[in-house]
Structures are given as C-alpha cells and as structure tokens.
Amino acid sequence: MAPSIDPRAPGKFPLHNLPTPEPESPLRPRKPYRFSTLCATVENPDMKDQYGSSSVPIYQTATFKGVGEKYDYSRSGNPTRSHLEHHIAKISSAAHAFTVSSGMAALDVILRILKPGDEIIAGDDLYGGTNRLLTYIRTHVGVTIHHVDTTNPETLHPYINSTKTAMVLLESPTNPLLKIVDLARISRDVKERAPNAIIVVDNTMMSPYLQRPLEHGADIVYDSATKYLSGHHDLMAGVVTCNREDIAQKLAFTINSVGNALTPIDSFLLLRGIKTLALRMDRQQATTQMVAEYLYTLGFQVHYPGLPDHPGQEVHARIADGNGAVLSFETGNKELSEKIVAGTRLWGISVSFGCVNSLISMPCVMSHASIDPATRAARGLPEDLIRLCVGIEDPHDLLDDLEHALVDAGAIVLDVAQNKYVRVPDHAALALAANKLRLEAAEQKQEWFISAPGKIILFGEHAVVHGVTAIAASVDLRCYGLATPRKDGKLSIRLLDIGNFTHEWDVQSLPWDAVTPIAPGDEHPEELDYRLVVALNEKALHFIGDENKAAHGACLAFLYLYMILNRNEEYPAFDFAARSTLPVGAGLGSSASYSVCAATASLLVHRRITLPRPLPPSSTEHIHVSHQGRRAIAPQTAEEVNKWAFVAEKILHGNPSGVDNSVAVFGGALAYTRPGFGRKGGMEGIQGFKHFNFLLTNSKVPRDTKKLVAGVGAKKAKEPELVNSIMEAIQTISDEARRALADPELPRESLLDAISALMNENHQHLVTLGVSHPALESIRRTTQAHKLSTKLTGAGGGGCAVTLIPDEFEDSKQRDLINALIREGFQPYLTSVGGSGLGILSPYPEHRALGSRSRRPTTDSLGQVTPPETPTPSLLSSNEIVDGSANSTDLYPPLHDTFVSSSVAELPVWAGDLGRWLYV
C-alpha cells in the first residue's frame, strides 16, 4: 500500500505505515514521525521477530523449508531483504522498493523494461557508468538515446515522441556539475506529450533524506545505496523504488530471473547504515556549505546549489530539502588540478562519494573517463574539474588540509597586504597549461622502448594443472618491443622472429564499431570480447593463413589491446616492432614477454600509464629503487601492465595460469598454485631469491602443449593412484625448493646442492608422466657427463632443458659443454635466473645518451651466441647527457632502424647503451 501524504505539509512529511503513539486525547493528536525518526526505527508490522530482537536478524540461508510458504529461495525472497525493502519504501514515499547488488545493477534492471526501437531522453551530465551502459544498449539493443540539457525543460520537447519515447532518465543535481533539473515540470511535460513514457530519476546525490522524486511525478527512482544510504563504503548495493504496480511486477520479475537481489548480509549492513542517514547528512551538508563558501571567496568557479548564484537554486529549493554533500570547482588548468588532488592528505582520492570519509577526485580522469574527451567537451565537462565529497570529519581539519594542497600546488598565495590567501592570477595558470601542452606534444612524438624477461619453470611443470605448486623464475633472455610514432594515420607491426612478418593497417579501417572500450581503472571482463575478436579476424587479419598461426596470434593480441584500450579521443598511429633474444616457441615464456611488451606499448601510447618524472638534484624526496639498485617503475603501473598482458595471453593461449606474464612483469621468482584443489591458490613472490647461472638448451623439437597436458590427464584417469602419488611427490619438491630459496641463512653451496638434487628428482617424475622426449634425454646425458643436473622446463615433449651451472664450474668446461651441445644440433644459451622484470627506457632527456656506442658481440668459434645479462645503465660522461631543453629530444637519433637491423647479440648491448632503464 502506498503511503498517503499529510495534507498539512504537502510533499514534505508523508504518512507511513509505521505505527505512531496513540493520541493522548482527541484534542491533541500525535504528529507523524519526522524523517530521522523513520530512519532510526526499523519496524514492519507484518514481520514481527519471534524473539523480539532489536536488530533485524540476518537470515543467512539460501533455502527455506516447506511448500507454499512466503519464502522458499533467497534469490526470490529473504526476510532480511524484505525488512530492508519495507524500510526503504517507508522513507522514500514509495509503495514498492527493491534492492540489488549495485547502483548500476539497479539501472540495468530498469533498462530491461525497454525493447528495440524505443527511445530514451537522458541528461547530458550523467555519471560515467550510466553513460557507458546507455552506450551499450544503444549499440546492442537498438534503443535510440537523445542526450539533452535537462536543466531547460523546453529542450526536451523536440525529442518527445508520443509513441516512441519510452523513458526519460534524469539526475538532479547532476554529477559532477551539480546542475539542477526541474523534475516536477519535466515529469508533467513528458506525461502530457508521451503518456506511456516512464520517468526515471537517479537520486544517488540526494538520497531520500533530501529528495523524494516520486513525490514530484517520477515513476521510478534508483539510488546507488553504496553511497549515502550505506554511508561507510563497506558494501555494494542498489535501490529501486516505484509506486506503480505494473512497473513493480516487471522489476520484480527481472530481479528474480537475473538473480542480482541483495544478499542477506549486505541487506543487514544497509539497514544499519540507513539508521544514521539523517545524522550523517546533516553534518556533511553543513561542512560542504563551509567548503563551498571558502572556495567561492577565493575566486574559483564553484558548483554547489547552496551558493546564492547557483543556476537553478530556486528550482532546487522547491523539489529538495537540502543541498547535499557534493560540490565541484574549476581551477582553470588540468595540471594544477592534478597537483591539488595529489596534495591532499585527509581527502582520499576515490571515484565514489557518500562515505563518512571525505573524498576528492578529478571526474574526467576517474569516474567519467569512459566518456570520450570530445563528448565531454561537447557537454561542457571541464577537464580541470575537481569534485569534493564531504564526510563527517571536523570541518576545520578538512579546510586546513585543502588549503595546504592549494598552497603547495601554487593555486593560492598569501597576500601580505590583505593578510589572507588569494587565488593565483590566471596568467600563471595559463603558463602551466602551455607547459603541459608542450610535454604532451613531446610524448606524442616519443618512441617507447620496452623489454621483458622470459621465464623458466624450475619445479612443478604439468603438476601445476592438477593443483601442485609451481616455482617460476625470470631469465636474462628478453623480448624487446619498440613503439615508433607514425604521421600517416597507419598502425603497423613487425615481428622479426616470426618470419620477419610485417603488415600495416589504416587506423580508421579497423572495426571500431565492434569494440567496447574499457575505461581507465575498470577491469577487463573475465571473458574476451569475442565480438571484437571475430571482427578483427574477419576484417583485419583475414589475409593471414593457417601456415602462419604464430603471426596471426601476435597480431590479434596487439590489435585487440590497441582497440580496447582506446578511449575514442584519438587513434594514435605508430609502428610496433618486436624481437627477442629468447628462443620463440621453446617453452621459455616468449609469448608472455611479447604480451607484456605489447600491453606496455599500448598503455603508454594511449597514455593509460605514466612514468615518474625525474626529481631535481636538490630534491630530498625518497626514490623507490629495485633490489638491483635501478629506479623502479611504480607498483600500480606494473599491476596495470600485468592485468593487460594477461588479456593478451588469453588471446594467445586461451586459458593461461597467469604465471608467465607475472614473471615477465615482476621478475625474480614466484610460487603459483592453481585454485580449487584444496590448497591456498594464487601467486606469491619468493623473497630473497638467489641469482643462479643456468644453461638453457633449446632442443629445436616442436611440442604440442595441449596434447601433452591432455596425455597427463588421460594417464591420471587410467592410473589415478600412480599419478596422484607423483603429484604429491612433486608438491613436496616444490615446497622444499621454496623453503630453500627463501632461506637467507642456508649456505650457497648447500643451496646449490639441494636445488640440483630436487631438479633430478623432479625430472624423473616428469619422465614417468610421459612428457619428456628423446631430445631432452640426450641433452641430459651430455650435461651429466659434466656432473650437472638438467631437467625439462615448460611443457616438455621437446622445448627446452635447463641445466644448473655451479659457481665453481670452470669457463673452459662451459665452452666444452656448449660446443658439445651445438654439435648435437641443439641451441644452448648461457644465462642467469632471477633478474629484473619489465623495463622501459627512460623517455626523459636527462637520462638519454647521444646515439649508441658499438660493442663487439660475444661469440665463440662455433658461432654460439651468449646474450649478456639484463642491460644495465652505462656510466655516461657529461658530454653524453642531453641537456633537457625543450628541443632536446631531437638530439638523440630515432631507435627504429638500429633496433630492427641489430643482430641478436648486439641488441641487448646496444639497448643498454641508450641510457637509463626503469625496471620493476
């Protein structure tokens, strides 16, 4: 039953079905409870707890006993959720309320009412996630969407079609410009012109405490309850309310069918949060008013309906009961805004709002980054906009922290004559903007040089598929990638190790209509975008035949990343060349190191990741360095690269474990256990991993990884006891190796002996599983003649063997062994294990050398090439340092020609001579 409205205060104090005290006398009736009392009093006359609990119990159960009872399955209904929904309806002037897993899930449920051919009228200042979902249904469902300025009700009139307009989607105030929309008038206008249209309002910014759009003609209201209703950012939830029975039935059907109703534990937490909604909002609003007035008096353009000159303030006062706890302001310069946001301490940087903790963000690079810049500009969304979401901290502390950030960023200075802070003149901000544009222009012309190591599996091959822990480590054989800008609107690739494959595409000809870009900060879905994969195969890669599967896979991964990371602001044209000192296809993680290079190149070209700028010599700021003494790439940058490299690995291998790309990004060594086998799953770095010398020998025998893995699975099904015992034995080996490698007190000689013995034992188990090969056994016999331990690595069935080289092993014996292996037709590489991960050549002039010096490659009489260790920065003389002036990037030559023409032996030496490398 819908609540009635108290005639004494229309639209302000709804009479709800919460019992009120009995009248003391007929002459002195009780007044309805006010909002704060309604919030704090969770009562449902139809659902009395049998024990009289003062807090609604959590019915943490999926099913209920009995037939024909009110509750049978928690997806369809749960008592805790019922209490919550009754409570929300009570405070929202609603007859029906539904709670789902998030605010976006709430909008998704609402949009499922639509059908192909329908039209939506939506605001032009919407939350980025709303815009993203509307874009999706326009593309995939066939719904037409008109974005208009809803602050002027008359702008909607030309778009209202009496039969086609199915929905109008509104926010007031809007996010993040705090524009005011006359919900009552628009609802009336639309109903007159399109009676069947549904008015939907996102009320997250206000919450039911400050605004109840159902009272002003809306048909559906939804909130991200993650925000103010919860108030603590400790749960995700969405709320949908309505008064129409027909709409309620459709919403309930969808929620029950999809199964995204809120869980019992989250329902309980949300109920608890709502109890303090009024208290929190009162404190937050009061502080927000202070912050808005402070910024306004400094001269900033401030967007907040509590300011006297805010457009639409009169309308807002008519439809709302307060001004909210969100404001935004403009500085006039994006770089200045970035400094302000980064300079706060008490204000947490976050994309969300509505928490008891105060938050700060830049919408154009955070919550609204999924809207392309051209559209943002067309809708009047300033790139320099800062959004403040005020919490319940002491207002003086918040103002003091914000003032410090403004001062440190150079946005305000102390005026001694007036004895107060004033805003820095606009011409200084213009100078900052000009400098930023110069830097961005330089970045667009920048060549990006990247490298990533290969990997070996020391222990646990094949067993890892069955839940056994694998130990993987990086090797000092690397893949190199070079992204060189083009000026002709083309995208090109050169794969020097795959038949010197080359091809180029006109950027505009790529299937952009098939891509759904992933916004910065968002996660790639678990499944690949197969619509994009199919489009690329049919339109961009159709010319590559089955005989060149390796090139096809590499191109597909490259194009997929390039397109899905693009934000529609521009289509950068560049050439990507990749080559490797790793043997390709030998089981040493060449595809993963390529994936890391390709992902890093796309992220850099699309400006999705940045490198730390060099500190001035006088700076005392702490510089984080890696264990090898090189300046490190930031951990969050490495995590971003690893996330997208894993996507590329999915394209190349279907269902990768994530080990290879993680080693290629982070270097060192890690232990990986596949989830779902009774042990703790996941990856964990092995701290203190020692540096070892290894001989990697490529058998040059092709291997079929899928066939080998399937063979072990078949053997397990046929002989489960034997295979399970082998798996347990390999797990014991991995555990012992992990303990030994991480033990700082174990003498090196004892460690090498232990690793040697474990390698021999691990290999014998792999032989029993049937994954070795005569070529690998031949390599083992040759190395055993020198009393060395060798095992297969990776898939086996060919591929590579790894041989541990003791510290005392003489150089002459190494040469003899290498020559013997070459005579047998194998390809040995003397390298080391446990070095750095992802490396990026520093783009900054002060880190770069003028040209590159040549060195003679290291070769022996039989032509064996031994690539050197991971490239280290050269000691650059003063006359080789670029001066860092504006045109200094012209002083060192482009890298592309030398990169593609150098020999494998020359490549890492030349790369190391170019300047300083930044490593993870």
Side-chain angles (χ1 to χ4, degrees):
M1 181 179 66
S4 57
I5 304 298
D6 182 1
R8 293 167 297 177
K12 290 295 181 180
F13 300 107
L15 286 170
H16 302 275
N17 58 0
L18 176 67
T20 57
E22 291 298 323
E24 294 179 358
S25 72
L27 300 178
R28 191 169 179 268
R30 291 278 186 171
K31 295 181 179 180
Y33 287 133
R34 300 307 197 266
F35 194 95
S36 58
T37 304
L38 295 176
C39 284
T41 310
V42 181
E43 290 287 348
N44 186 344
D46 298 328
M47 296 183 67
K48 293 292 185 180
D49 180 69
Q50 60 180 321
Y51 299 112
S53 62
S54 58
S55 180
V56 175
I58 304 172
Y59 287 86
Q60 193 65 44
T61 178
T63 58
F64 300 83
K65 296 179 180 179
V67 177
E69 300 295 335
K70 182 176 181 180
Y71 299 104
D72 56 6
Y73 193 52
S74 276
R75 171 166 59 81
S76 304
N78 180 281
T80 311
R81 190 163 66 241
S82 294
H83 269 286
L84 170 64
E85 291 174 345
H86 176 273
H87 194 56
I88 290 171
K90 180 182 68 179
I91 65 174
S92 302
S93 297
H96 306 280
F98 305 93
T99 53
V100 292
S101 56
S102 71
M104 290 310 302
L107 178 58
D108 178 63
V109 167
I110 295 167
L111 293 179
R112 288 172 187 259
I113 295 173
L114 300 170
K115 61 184 183 300
D118 284 346
E119 295 186 4
I120 296 179
I121 302 174
D124 60 359
D125 182 27
L126 298 172
Y127 166 56
T130 302
N131 191 83
R132 184 167 58 244
L133 186 54
L134 290 177
T135 301
Y136 179 87
I137 69 164
R138 179 186 63 202
T139 304
H140 298 279
V141 182
V143 172
T144 300
I145 300 170
H146 304 288
H147 288 284
V148 302
D149 179 8
T150 51
T151 60
N152 180 3
E154 294 182 0
T155 61
L156 280 73
H157 295 177
Y159 299 97
I160 302 174
N161 185 295
S162 60
T163 57
K164 292 184 178 181
T165 301
M167 188 173 289
V168 177
L169 181 57
L170 306 171
E171 293 181 29
S172 185
T174 62
N175 179 15
L177 288 175
L178 285 296
K179 296 193 291 187
I180 304 304
V181 176
D182 193 336
L183 303 178
R185 179 178 170 185
I186 290 179
S187 297
R188 184 179 67 250
D189 288 355
V190 171
K191 294 295 184 182
E192 289 175 354
R193 292 166 173 81
N196 295 324
I198 297 174
I199 310 298
V200 179
V201 178
D202 179 352
N203 198 45
T204 304
M205 289 276 281
M206 289 280 96
S207 85
Y209 180 50
L210 301 180
Q211 186 170 268
R212 292 167 296 282
L214 292 177
E215 298 175 1
H216 302 292
D219 296 301
I220 302 176
V221 177
Y222 73 98
D223 289 67
S224 171
T226 310
K227 313 301 193 295
Y228 290 114
L229 286 169
S230 166
H232 297 77
H233 281 190
D234 54 5
L235 65 90
M236 298 285 289
V239 167
V240 186
T241 59
C242 67
N243 281 326
R244 284 174 49 179
E245 187 67 30
D246 58 331
I247 292 177
Q249 290 179 2
K250 293 178 180 179
L251 297 174
F253 175 82
T254 299
I255 294 170
N256 185 47
S257 300
V258 172
N260 60 355
L262 199 62
T263 64
I265 181 65
D266 285 337
S267 297
F268 171 83
L269 290 173
L270 184 52
L271 264 174
R272 186 174 66 174
I274 291 173
K275 292 178 182 179
T276 60
L277 172 62
L279 286 173
R280 288 185 280 105
M281 289 300 295
D282 284 343
R283 175 62 174 264
Q284 287 170 277
Q285 282 193 107
T287 305
T288 307
Q289 186 69 35
M290 294 175 62
V291 174
E293 290 174 356
Y294 167 75
L295 291 169
Y296 182 79
T297 57
L298 286 172
F300 291 103
Q301 176 68 41
V302 183
H303 305 282
Y304 184 64
L307 295 176
D309 61 350
H310 185 77
Q313 189 195 47
E314 182 180 346
V315 172
H316 183 73
R318 172 162 47 83
I319 64 175
D321 297 330
N323 298 314
V326 176
L327 66 90
S328 59
F329 70 101
E330 301 172 40
T331 66
N333 179 265
K334 185 179 179 183
E335 184 179 59
L336 184 63
S337 296
E338 290 172 347
K339 290 181 177 180
I340 294 170
V341 171
T344 58
R345 295 185 180 181
L346 193 54
W347 300 78
I349 301 176
S350 174
V351 296
S352 192
F353 62 90
C355 185
V356 292
N357 306 110
S358 295
L359 305 173
I360 188 170
S361 67
M362 289 184 64
C364 287
V365 296
M366 297 174 70
S367 59
H368 291 62
S370 59
I371 305 174
D372 67 90
T375 303
R376 292 199 300 260
R379 297 179 184 177
L381 185 58
E383 297 291 313
D384 63 302
L385 190 73
I386 296 175
R387 189 181 70 181
L388 297 176
C389 309
V390 182
I392 64 171
E393 302 94 340
D394 188 287
H396 299 91
D397 291 335
L398 289 173
L399 286 170
D400 182 66
D401 185 57
L402 182 60
E403 186 169 82
H404 273 89
L406 292 168
V407 171
D408 292 344
I412 60 175
V413 294
L414 180 64
D415 186 317
V416 178
Q418 300 183 62
N419 192 30
K420 68 176 184 177
Y421 283 106
V422 296
R423 187 180 175 188
V424 172
D426 289 342
H427 64 80
L430 289 174
L432 285 171
N435 183 57
K436 178 66 174 177
L437 289 173
R438 181 184 64 78
L439 291 172
E440 290 183 350
E443 285 182 356
Q444 290 175 356
K445 297 186 295 183
Q446 175 71 51
E447 278 187 298
W448 293 105
F449 197 14
I450 307 142
S451 75
K455 70 92 181 62
I456 61 171
I457 302 293
L458 289 174
F459 304 100
E461 296 91 336
H462 284 283
V464 69
V465 178
H466 303 277
V468 173
T469 302
I471 307 296
S474 62
V475 297
D476 280 331
L477 301 174
R478 305 176 75 86
C479 177
Y480 294 83
L482 180 67
T484 304
R486 297 180 59 147
K487 299 179 180 179
D488 56 359
K490 294 184 182 297
L491 186 70
S492 53
I493 192 169
R494 180 183 292 244
L495 306 170
L496 285 89
D497 301 307
I498 308 179
N500 199 24
F501 177 90
T502 61
H503 192 73
E504 64 181 28
W505 300 267
D506 188 309
V507 171
Q508 297 291 342
S509 70
L510 294 174
W512 293 106
D513 59 333
V515 67
T516 303
I518 306 295
D522 286 359
E523 297 294 323
H524 188 284
E526 186 174 343
E527 299 294 331
L528 293 173
D529 186 342
Y530 287 107
R531 183 167 177 259
L532 177 58
V533 170
V534 170
L536 285 171
N537 283 329
E538 292 179 349
K539 298 181 181 180
L541 302 174
H542 58 279
F543 63 93
I544 305 179
D546 292 339
E547 72 282 357
N548 208 348
K549 290 183 178 179
H552 178 275
C555 290
L556 179 60
F558 170 68
L559 292 174
Y560 185 95
L561 291 177
Y562 173 81
M563 294 184 69
I564 208 163
L565 289 170
N566 191 284
R567 288 178 285 171
N568 298 326
E569 55 185 282
E570 58 186 13
Y571 298 128
F574 68 100
D575 174 84
F576 180 68
R579 57 183 313 191
S580 178
T581 59
L582 278 165
V584 176
L588 295 179
S590 58
S591 68
S593 54
Y594 167 81
S595 296
V596 170
C597 290
T600 307
S602 278
L603 288 165
L604 287 167
V605 168
H606 288 304
R607 296 198 289 272
R608 298 281 288 257
I609 57 173
T610 57
L611 300 180
R613 291 200 170 273
L615 298 174
S618 60
S619 175
T620 58
E621 183 178 338
H622 174 66
I623 301 176
H624 177 65
V625 295
S626 70
H627 65 282
Q628 295 189 359
R630 305 182 183 97
R631 185 170 180 178
I633 294 170
Q636 60 268 32
T637 300
E639 291 286 357
E640 187 74 3
V641 170
N642 194 41
K643 177 174 70 176
W644 291 103
F646 181 67
V647 173
E649 279 282 84
K650 279 189 173 184
I651 295 170
L652 294 172
H653 294 300
N655 185 27
S657 66
V659 172
D660 290 13
N661 52 275
S662 294
V663 172
V665 170
F666 297 102
L670 59 81
Y672 170 73
T673 307
R674 190 172 183 175
F677 289 88
R679 298 183 180 90
K680 180 183 178 182
M683 282 179 278
E684 188 174 337
I686 301 177
Q687 302 301 319
F689 182 83
K690 283 77 175 176
H691 200 261
F692 296 112
N693 292 322
F694 272 86
L695 188 69
L696 305 182
T697 306
N698 185 4
S699 70
K700 298 185 180 179
V701 175
R703 72 205 193 289
D704 187 335
T705 303
K706 292 182 179 179
K707 184 176 179 180
L708 290 164
V709 171
V712 174
K715 189 176 184 70
K716 183 178 180 181
K718 185 177 181 181
E719 302 176 79
E721 292 186 4
L722 171 64
V723 175
N724 286 333
S725 66
I726 293 174
M727 297 299 173
E728 290 298 326
I730 295 177
Q731 179 66 53
T732 301
I733 291 170
S734 293
D735 290 341
E736 291 182 9
R738 186 175 181 180
R739 285 192 293 268
L741 292 169
D743 187 352
E745 299 182 0
L746 186 65
R748 185 165 178 85
E749 183 178 354
S750 300
L751 174 61
L752 290 170
D753 289 343
I755 297 300
S756 177
L758 292 172
M759 285 176 60
N760 288 329
E761 184 181 350
N762 193 172
H763 183 82
Q764 291 305 319
H765 289 308
L766 295 173
V767 171
T768 306
L769 290 175
V771 295
S772 186
H773 188 275
L776 295 173
E777 297 306 316
S778 176
I779 295 170
R780 272 179 52 83
R781 287 191 295 271
T782 302
T783 60
Q784 283 174 339
H786 291 76
K787 299 182 179 179
L788 300 178
S789 297
T790 299
K791 67 180 286 295
L792 67 84
T793 186
C800 267
V802 292
T803 303
L804 180 64
I805 304 297
D807 296 341
E808 68 279 4
F809 197 65
E810 299 174 4
D811 291 346
S812 60
K813 292 183 177 180
Q814 288 184 24
R815 287 194 294 272
D816 291 343
L817 175 59
I818 288 172
N819 290 337
L821 290 167
I822 291 175
R823 284 193 296 271
E824 294 179 30
F826 304 122
Q827 186 177 14
Y829 299 82
L830 187 61
T831 185
S832 56
V833 169
S836 297
L838 168 66
I840 302 175
L841 181 66
S842 173
Y844 305 119
E846 53 266 54
H847 293 164
R848 299 291 285 273
L850 288 171
S852 60
R853 294 170 294 180
S854 61
R855 294 183 184 176
R856 295 181 61 82
T858 304
T859 61
D860 58 30
S861 59
L862 294 176
Q864 162 61 24
V865 176
T866 303
E869 295 182 2
T870 301
T872 55
S874 306
L875 296 175
L876 304 175
S877 60
S878 59
N879 64 343
E880 293 174 311
I881 300 295
V882 179
D883 64 8
S885 61
N887 61 353
S888 62
T889 53
D890 299 330
L891 296 179
Y892 47 85
L895 307 177
H896 183 271
D897 292 347
T898 309
F899 176 69
V900 299
S901 62
S902 298
S903 70
V904 172
E906 294 169 330
L907 179 59
V909 180
W910 167 75
D913 277 345
L914 292 173
R916 180 182 296 176
W917 282 75
L918 308 179
Y919 287 96
V920 173

